[in-house]
Amino acid sequence: IKKNYLYIFFLLMVLVFLCFFYFSHYGNNIFSFSWSEKNDFVGYKNDGDDESIEKSHDLIQKEGESLNERGVISSPEIKTLAGSPSEAEVVRKWEESRGRFDEESLKDYAGYDLATLQSLANNGDIKAMIALARLYVSDQYSAEYGVKYSMPLLKKAAAYGSSYAIEQYAIQYEADHFVNGSSDRNTLLESLSWNNVAALRGDLYPNNSATLDLRRKKVQLSSEDIQFIRKKSEEIYRQLQHERHVMGLGDFDNSVPPEVQKYFSYLENYMSDK
């Protein structure tokens, strides 16, 4: 019996020694492997997040809401369809130069009363024009003002250089006819013509939104429709440029930075397919 105990004790000691040897030799590698796997997973997750951000960003623009709602990219590692943070900043500044302000940028005007915004708009402040046009069709003022006041103001903002105002004019034009029960094919073509004026100025956001809206409504445009839109949009452009000259301003600045052109290459334009 004593020999059996000694034998069992000897086996236990050998087992302990083997366990100690195994963990002392492979333990660091095991933990290193786990840490490496964790880092690899984090890296993969970041790559996935970048891809997700790009897809979400693309979807937002295709539904007609503004690299405006895109915000400023703060992380130097994050890239979107607008490119790197520095490229995205170029896009954002170009948008603002076209009177396309995000909600954060408009906050400083949100507290202004109607009279203050009217005064600023009369002095050529495009941001005030956009904020005031919104206020005119808000629940608070729509009964008294509405599109009767907002649409001429948007047209004025368009003459001052805001391609965003052109897009908003098109939206309100179509919405007004819909509410009045007078919406028809001609209404659609007129609205699309206004959108295409923005495209003539290098801003493809409105035509991108219109392309998706036409697809959603399953509306097919004929070659005659496209020719009408092209001719009408050129006519509207000339009218706006004339109004601009009357106000003592020069020709429109239709320049588009390479960073914006790169971003717009991801957008759709029904006019370019015809």
Side-chain angles (χ1 to χ4, degrees), residues 52-219:
S52 176
I53 290 171
E54 290 182 3
K55 290 180 179 178
S56 298
H57 183 75
D58 188 29
L59 180 60
I60 288 172
Q61 284 309 310
K62 288 183 178 180
E63 291 299 331
E65 301 184 17
S66 152
L67 258 176
N68 308 300
E69 299 176 23
R70 292 184 302 277
V72 179
I73 304 169
S74 59
S75 172
E77 285 81 21
I78 294 178
K79 288 187 178 181
T80 69
L81 292 181
S84 66
S86 59
E87 289 172 329
E89 181 64 10
V90 172
V91 175
R92 186 190 67 79
K93 287 183 176 179
W94 180 85
E95 289 176 344
E96 287 197 349
S97 73
R98 296 305 183 86
R100 188 177 292 275
F101 306 101
D102 56 32
E103 296 302 322
E104 187 66 27
S105 179
L106 285 170
K107 275 185 179 180
D108 54 345
Y109 278 59
Y112 293 162
D113 58 24
L114 195 68
T116 301
L117 288 175
Q118 288 172 334
S119 177
L120 290 171
N122 289 335
N123 289 321
D125 188 326
I126 294 179
K127 186 184 289 190
M129 295 178 197
I130 300 300
L132 183 57
R134 286 188 176 191
L135 201 58
Y136 280 151
V137 295
S138 67
D139 292 339
Q140 183 179 0
Y141 291 102
S142 59
E144 183 179 358
Y145 295 96
V147 295
K148 183 179 179 181
Y149 283 77
S150 66
M151 289 182 67
L153 184 58
L154 288 170
K155 191 174 181 181
K156 178 181 178 180
Y160 264 93
S162 174
S163 54
Y164 174 72
I166 295 173
E167 179 181 16
Q168 292 304 301
Y169 185 97
I171 291 172
Q172 291 194 14
Y173 179 88
E174 192 168 7
D176 186 44
H177 279 75
F178 178 80
V179 171
N180 293 329
S182 57
S183 182
D184 56 15
R185 187 79 172 186
N186 291 331
T187 302
L188 172 64
L189 295 180
E190 182 77 13
S191 176
L192 292 173
S193 297
W194 274 90
N195 280 329
N196 196 55
V197 175
L200 294 178
R201 297 215 47 225
D203 186 346
L204 295 185
Y205 286 130
N207 275 9
N208 176 70
S209 298
T211 301
L212 296 166
D213 194 44
L214 291 170
R215 186 180 302 153
R216 179 177 60 84
K217 294 177 179 177
K218 298 182 179 179
V219 175

Side-chain angles (χ1 to χ4, degrees), residues 10-22:
F10 176 78
L11 289 178
L12 288 174
M13 291 299 293
V14 170
L15 182 61
V16 169
F17 176 80
L18 289 175
C19 289
F20 176 80
F21 175 82
Y22 180 85

